[in-house]
Amino acid sequence: NYSVADWVLFLDDDCMPEQNILDAYCGALQRFPDAKVLAGMTELPEAINTWTSMLRVCNVGYFYGVSKRMRHPPWAVTANLLVSGSRFNHTIQFKDCYPKTGGGEDIDFVYQYKQFYPSIGVHVTASVPEAVVRHPWWNAGKVCYNHIRGWAWGDSM
């Protein structure tokens, strides 16, 4: 909440952005001038074992690729998210009640923008599938039930 930037790009610390990510977001700002939240494409790797195959089949990472599925998604993961800066909406913040492993904080964060800008409606968010980051498998692809449970707990709040 201390930034005076017009826009803030959130990336997970383990993601690798493609070289054109900033160009992709700049183009999206021109295409979607009313948007306050721009959702990039977060790609998960190919399955490397039974566990990661199950994660792919059950589609637990659906919202990582939401930018390729919806033009104006209801929310998007903070692994790759560009948002208008807090000097325009200083009350929008991440809340401490969500698990530190992730889960729910991104949903709440985007919905705060929707509440702050109700006149924009569905267009408060916009997808930018050209803004790509590559996200590794959690726990190096080994079984990680606690991570998934943390998401479920946070998402249910």
Side-chain angles (χ1 to χ4, degrees):
N1 194 30
Y2 300 106
S3 173
V4 294
D6 291 343
W7 293 91
V8 177
L9 178 58
F10 290 100
L11 299 174
D12 277 5
D13 62 349
D14 55 353
C15 285
M16 290 297 299
E18 287 196 353
Q19 290 182 345
N20 70 332
I21 191 169
L22 295 178
D23 289 334
Y25 277 124
C26 286
L29 291 172
Q30 293 176 359
R31 289 191 311 276
F32 303 107
D34 292 334
K36 304 301 178 191
V37 176
L38 297 173
M41 176 64 189
T42 303
E43 294 181 346
L44 295 172
E46 292 299 319
I48 57 173
N49 55 30
T50 303
W51 172 253
T52 55
S53 293
M54 291 186 320
L55 292 175
R56 282 207 164 273
V57 170
C58 76
N59 211 12
V60 72
Y62 176 84
F63 270 91
Y64 279 79
V66 73
S67 68
K68 286 191 175 179
R69 296 179 183 97
M70 299 178 180
R71 188 171 178 97
H72 299 285
W75 64 276
V77 296
T78 50
N80 185 6
L81 196 69
L82 183 73
V83 300
S84 67
S86 61
R87 69 183 175 135
F88 302 113
N89 39 34
H90 62 281
T91 60
I92 299 174
Q93 300 181 28
F94 287 104
K95 296 176 183 167
D96 292 333
C97 61
Y98 294 98
K100 300 301 179 211
T101 57
E105 81 290 349
D106 39 17
I107 299 170
D108 178 70
F109 192 62
V110 174
Y111 273 90
Q112 287 182 61
Y113 276 92
K114 290 180 174 211
Q115 290 174 338
F116 196 89
Y117 297 101
S119 63
I120 299 174
V122 70
H123 298 282
V124 76
T125 63
S127 290
V128 188
E130 309 84 14
V132 177
V133 300
R134 300 194 192 301
H135 195 297
W137 285 116
W138 307 276
N139 197 29
K142 298 176 194 135
V143 174
C144 54
Y145 289 114
N146 286 336
H147 194 90
I148 306 301
R149 185 173 45 232
W151 285 350
W153 179 69
D155 289 353
S156 69
M157 293 178 72

